[in-house]
Amino acid sequence: MTEPNNLDTLLKENRTFEPSAAFIAQATVTDESVYQSASEDPQAYWAQQASYLSWSKPFSTILEWDPPHAKWFSDGVLNVAYNTVDRHRENGRKNKAAIIWEGEPGDSKILTYDMLGREVDKAAHMLIHLGVKKGDRVVIYLPMIPELPISMLACAKIGAIHTVVFGGFSASSLKDRIIDADARLLITADAGFRRGGIVPLKQNVDQAIIDTPIEKVVVVQRVGADAHSTMIDGRDLLWHKLIETMPKTPFAPEPMHAEDTLFILYTSGTTGKPKGIVHSSAGYLVGANTSMRTVFDIKDDDVFWCTADIGWITGHTYLVYGPLSAGATVVMYEGAPDAPDRHRFWNIIEKYGVSIFYTAPTSIRTFMKWGHDIPQSHDLSTLRLMGTVGEPINPEAWMWYHEHIGHGRCPIVDTWWQTETGCAMIAPLPGLIKTKPGSATKAVPGIAVDVVDDNGTPVTPGHGGNLVITKPWPSMLRTVWGDDERFRKTYFGQFSGMYFPGDGAHLDEEKYIWILGRIDDVMNVSGHRIGTMEVESALVDHPAVAEAAVIGRAHDVKGQAITAFVTVRDGVKTSPELMTELKNHVVVKIGAMARPEEILFTAELPKTRSAKIMRRLLRDIAEGRALGDTTTLADPSVVDSLKLQYQDKE
Ligand code: 6R9
């Protein structure tokens, strides 16, 4: 196995892959001049892209930019659910499959655009019946079942703001999000299936909503008797019972102003408290829809499968809003790639004839580990384009994906973007751009990115620095929910007038961008963003812990793994049991994805004389590197004892 991206391997990478003649012959975008024209007049470019949506009142202004606040198409009116569902019922796609859903235990369901539309309308009536009004927040904590996109689209239809919380988050994380979003309604399921086991969602909800504004809980029955969830009279309502009593009449889409909030999605940052990223209606949808055509080359007969969970931004944009706005067929899979066995993903591709496949490097590295004979025993010939997202992809994983999944035939779109950017920002247009394994290539048309040094000066080709986005774009976050100052400081406080995403990047001689990963205190574990501070806060919340420092160290499958350095309170004895207890405590406070891979007990943490924890040194220790400068340490001997301990562990 290889190490994930590091600059040395990337700089040695010189393989290139031109789009094939066969792919170019059918590609949606083949005119290279789009880059030039979009960069000369980005507003005209985006206005033209906005014309792919249906507006109930056309916009007359394109952009109002009062840094860091942008408004796009602000006097336009539309409805996102109408654009993603209803208009396709009217334009000849009525009986086309919108969502092909596959449950983990093997059940499946196909919802045509017409069927999806009727379900969304019933759910919209239900929300209104429960007293939800335009602008209210609805928290959705569901497994990957059809009721999840249906709930989101029902919110969009009535103008309510959804905030989806990934089902892997703990009760405590869910509670924080409910309180921050100030939501009165929550939609959940009795439980979810995951890798043959059961995730007790409703039990988590029962704990989470104590002392929150939640008044009603709608419960989808997914698992049934084994879920052990109890319903509370007057508070909990069963989805299927309630929805049956709703009018079967179409629900008129609420006219929404372009800038009205579509959703809030929480993501990790450099402090202990997750940020509620706020997305607009029109700008977000324009971005999502555009990238379906430009980056994913979507066609009417494609079957598009994005393997992300809808609880993350990738699932929002590329399982729901992007593909449905384009009238595409999406595959939605409920479970794990190895349930019931390691053939599951390839079985799904074969079963439904998936033509575009979008997954994360961490999954690709897992498939590599499982061996290429597994995908080889399947007919993957329907695939024509493949994507990756979530973290830097190491060239070896890229090559494996290219050879063993794409059979050398499918272009790979490595898409760099974030919860905050709404849609893919740096990615090849597959019919135009030659790809290089490990590079996300160039910004898509209409997006202006650069790599700058710490003073904000652009670096010359052949150098690295901070990735920045220099101009506003339609699907950019509008603010951090309830904390505009944090929005301003986090994203625009570093380099004046420019958006700073927190990633480092290298610019090569051909101006290709090679993303090097986060340069702030955010880890990327299997493509999930987790703040070091979040895990530290969870650890110090345990009575045995005095102090904790958390870092992400290189890991060959996950990209990064969490290592925690912990000092215990006076009188506490360290033991393997305590270690397990602390790991579990983090799971209870945040969720399973934040479980530290290892915990090291230490008498002291390495600190500077101004008492700042030196994470860089901790990372060097955990990755077995020669230590950098230790002269600023208050007590240099701390590091030696930690190093010894780490070596012992191995
Ligand atoms: C979409 C998504 C965002 C962070 C981002 C960066 C990393 C995402 C990447 C990538 C290298 C890619 N990231 N895509 N790094 N190459 N193609 O993942 O959003 O969960 O908010 O994470 O993920 O570090 O800053 P989100």
Side-chain angles (χ1 to χ4, degrees):
M1 288 300 299
T2 52
E3 288 286 297
N5 264 10
N6 69 56
L7 193 54
D8 291 344
T9 39
L10 288 183
L11 291 182
K12 279 189 227 125
E13 182 54 55
N14 52 19
R15 288 169 285 202
T16 59
F17 295 85
E18 296 284 350
S20 69
F23 192 90
I24 295 172
Q26 59 80 64
T28 308
V29 189
T30 49
D31 181 359
E32 213 175 338
S33 69
V34 62
Y35 283 99
Q36 177 85 22
S37 58
S39 100
E40 279 164 13
D41 193 349
Q43 293 194 35
Y45 174 78
W46 287 115
Q48 203 253 325
Q49 298 305 317
S51 71
Y52 285 88
L53 300 184
S54 304
W55 298 78
S56 50
K57 177 176 173 276
F59 56 89
S60 64
T61 56
I62 304 171
L63 169 67
E64 289 144 84
W65 179 223
D66 177 13
H69 296 110
K71 289 183 182 166
W72 283 88
F73 321 116
S74 71
D75 59 347
V77 176
L78 49 55
N79 180 281
V80 169
Y82 175 78
N83 271 278
T84 40
V85 187
D86 303 295
R87 65 173 176 152
H88 305 306
R89 302 162 81 182
E90 298 161 8
N91 70 8
R93 295 189 180 108
K94 184 173 174 211
N95 292 321
K96 175 176 176 175
I99 298 177
I100 299 177
W101 174 80
E102 167 110 349
E104 193 184 84
D107 45 346
S108 63
K109 195 184 269 178
I110 295 181
L111 288 170
T112 63
Y113 272 97
D114 198 46
M115 292 157 82
L116 177 62
R118 280 183 272 137
E119 294 304 319
V120 170
D121 282 0
K122 281 191 280 179
H125 282 298
M126 176 177 80
L127 293 177
I128 296 288
H129 168 81
L130 292 170
V132 180
K133 293 184 301 295
K134 180 174 174 174
D136 287 352
R137 275 78 54 212
V138 174
V139 171
I140 305 176
Y141 183 62
L142 281 172
M144 284 281 283
I145 55 176
E147 287 80 359
L148 172 50
I150 290 168
S151 301
M152 294 161 76
L153 294 165
C155 288
K157 193 123 193 196
I158 74 164
I161 298 170
H162 61 70
T163 177
V164 179
V165 178
F166 171 57
F169 276 116
S170 66
S172 154
S173 294
L174 175 61
K175 181 179 191 140
D176 292 345
R177 285 155 177 76
I178 292 169
I179 292 173
D180 192 76
D182 188 22
R184 277 164 190 74
L185 181 74
L186 189 145
I187 304 177
T188 189
D190 54 354
F193 291 111
R194 186 74 192 177
R195 205 164 273 133
I198 284 170
V199 187
L201 294 171
K202 176 61 166 51
Q203 286 177 29
N204 289 349
V205 167
D206 289 340
Q207 269 186 47
I209 64 177
I210 297 167
D211 297 329
T212 73
I214 293 292
E215 290 161 5
K216 294 268 186 250
V217 178
V218 180
V219 184
V220 179
Q221 244 170 11
R222 169 63 183 136
V223 170
D226 293 337
H228 307 295
S229 78
T230 11
M231 299 290 285
I232 307 237
D233 251 2
R235 189 196 73 184
D236 300 346
L237 305 149
L238 282 171
W239 170 292
H240 67 276
K241 291 221 166 123
L242 190 57
I243 215 130
E244 259 173 39
T245 65
M246 290 299 126
K248 304 283 182 285
T249 47
F251 189 99
E254 180 70 27
M256 300 296 286
H257 292 288
E259 282 296 321
D260 284 343
T261 298
L262 177 63
F263 66 84
I264 304 169
L265 185 61
Y266 286 84
T267 189
S268 294
T270 52
T271 72
K273 192 173 168 271
K275 304 173 274 203
I277 302 301
V278 173
H279 276 290
S280 70
S281 295
Y284 170 76
L285 197 64
V286 168
N289 179 266
T290 302
S291 57
M292 287 308 299
R293 284 176 282 107
T294 57
V295 177
F296 289 106
D297 193 51
I298 196 83
K299 304 277 169 24
D300 233 337
D301 53 1
D302 274 315
V303 178
F304 183 87
W305 184 20
C306 163
T307 67
D309 192 289
I310 293 177
W312 308 108
I313 191 68
T314 304
H316 277 57
T317 304
Y318 295 111
L319 242 150
V320 184
Y321 292 113
L324 297 181
S325 72
T329 296
V330 286
V331 171
M332 172 176 177
Y333 169 54
E334 179 183 32
D338 54 353
D341 59 38
R342 294 172 171 181
H343 290 264
R344 190 61 184 270
F345 270 26
W346 322 118
N347 275 329
I348 292 176
I349 292 180
E350 259 181 331
K351 181 172 173 189
Y352 299 117
V354 171
S355 58
I356 306 177
F357 179 62
Y358 189 34
T359 196
T362 184
S363 307
I364 297 168
R365 290 191 293 264
T366 304
F367 303 144
M368 283 171 81
K369 225 178 181 169
W370 290 349
H372 62 87
D373 47 319
I374 295 179
Q376 207 154 1
S377 64
H378 295 270
D379 176 8
L380 305 180
S381 62
T382 53
L383 289 177
R384 67 176 193 89
L385 175 65
M386 307 187 306
T388 73
V389 61
E391 52 176 322
I393 184 163
N394 46 309
E396 194 181 336
W398 195 103
M399 288 304 301
W400 187 90
Y401 196 33
H402 173 74
E403 280 163 21
H404 296 289
I405 309 301
H407 295 283
R409 195 185 63 244
C410 305
I412 295 179
V413 289
D414 174 356
T415 60
W416 176 90
W417 58 293
Q418 306 181 295
T419 306
E420 294 86 341
T421 70
C423 69
M425 306 291 282
I426 303 175
L429 299 199
L432 274 176
I433 296 282
K434 121 185 133 186
T435 52
K436 304 183 184 185
S439 167
T441 74
K442 304 184 172 221
V444 298
I447 299 298
V449 303
D450 213 337
V451 180
V452 299
D453 65 17
D454 289 346
N455 301 317
T457 310
V459 303
T460 49
H463 293 88
N466 308 289
L467 184 68
V468 288
I469 305 174
T470 58
K471 290 199 173 110
W473 66 101
S475 65
M476 68 190 282
L477 77 164
R478 294 305 193 255
T479 187
V480 169
W481 181 256
D483 199 347
D484 197 55
E485 196 43 37
R486 192 171 176 198
F487 163 68
R488 195 185 283 276
K489 274 205 192 121
T490 310
Y491 302 105
F492 291 87
Q494 215 89 358
F495 305 106
S496 136
M498 294 192 269
Y499 172 89
F500 176 53
D503 281 287
H506 177 84
L507 194 67
D508 77 10
E509 299 294 344
E510 290 184 293
K511 294 200 173 174
Y512 271 52
I513 293 162
W514 301 73
I515 307 286
L516 302 173
R518 306 288 307 191
I519 45 183
D520 53 11
D521 291 330
V522 174
M523 300 172 287
N524 191 326
V525 181
S526 300
H528 301 324
R529 262 167 84 167
I530 301 166
T532 50
M533 280 276 289
E534 272 176 85
V535 181
E536 287 166 5
S537 316
L539 285 166
V540 297
D541 175 75
H542 190 282
V545 176
E547 220 182 356
V550 165
I551 54 129
R553 66 155 174 93
H555 184 279
D556 63 2
V557 175
K558 297 177 177 179
Q560 284 189 322
I562 301 178
T563 302
F565 296 83
V566 166
T567 63
V568 292
R569 284 179 191 273
D570 280 350
V572 172
K573 251 183 79 68
T574 61
S575 64
E577 290 72 37
L578 179 62
M579 204 178 278
T580 312
E581 194 179 317
L582 293 182
K583 288 183 183 177
N584 290 340
H585 190 69
V586 175
V587 174
V588 169
K589 295 300 286 184
I590 306 174
M593 65 282 188
R595 181 196 297 271
E597 188 92 357
E598 59 242 335
I599 292 183
L600 271 90
F601 292 116
T602 167
E604 296 279 351
L605 290 171
K607 289 188 187 156
T608 61
R609 281 175 217 118
S610 60
K612 270 188 93 137
I613 295 172
M614 292 187 73
R615 283 173 213 283
R616 178 181 52 79
L617 278 184
L618 293 175
R619 212 170 294 129
D620 287 344
I621 293 168
E623 292 176 355
R625 260 195 307 276
L627 296 188
D629 185 11
T630 55
T631 50
T632 51
L633 273 174
D635 176 5
S637 69
V638 170
V639 168
D640 296 328
S641 72
L642 267 175
K643 254 180 98 176
L644 281 175
Q645 239 197 90
Y646 206 86
Q647 283 154 4
D648 284 353
K649 188 189 68 66
E650 286 172 340

